[in-house]
Amino acid sequence: MFGNKAQMQNMLKKAKKMQEEMQKMQDELRQKTVDVSVGGGAVSLSMSGDKLITSLKISKDAINPDDSEMLEDLITTAVNEASKKADEMIAQGMSKVTGGLGLPGGMF
């Protein structure tokens, strides 16, 4: 598979460097956030790069005790949109490190 020991060592060095860069990128992404707003601003949410909700704001106009399903739907939509945006941010960040190798999600 590898022509000689030097090639194998070079490949291992490159793999180690990529792993270090990936770890650095993951740390950077954890510090970033994505923001979404749904229902005309009725629910606003911020999510970190490691997909933790860091802020949730609900407009008083969105709170209707007689229609809790609407608020539940708005929160669900906001969380799903933020999660999707966080996934896109993570994929973009990781593609910078991997050079578009297309590694599966569990690989980073």
Side-chain angles (χ1 to χ4, degrees), residues 26 29-32 47-52 86 89-90:
Q26 286 175 328
L29 289 170
R30 284 186 190 101
Q31 302 303 314
K32 293 183 178 185
M47 182 178 283
S48 66
D50 53 354
K51 299 178 94 174
L52 297 175
M89 179 180 70
I90 291 165

Side-chain angles (χ1 to χ4, degrees), residues 36-44 57-59 61-62 70 74 77-78 81:
V36 298
S37 181
V38 297
V43 174
S44 299
K57 304 233 186 282
I58 301 171
S59 166
D61 296 336
M70 179 190 70
L74 288 171
T77 300
E81 283 187 30

Side-chain angles (χ1 to χ4, degrees), residues 65-106:
D66 297 326
D67 189 8
S68 62
E69 286 182 20
M70 179 190 70
L71 181 55
E72 292 166 357
D73 289 344
L74 288 171
I75 293 170
T76 299
T77 300
V79 170
N80 289 339
E81 283 187 30
S83 181
K84 183 178 178 183
K85 285 178 89 171
D87 285 341
E88 291 170 358
M89 179 180 70
I90 291 165
Q92 287 175 353
M94 286 298 150
S95 71
K96 290 177 185 176
V97 174
T98 63
L101 290 176
L103 298 174

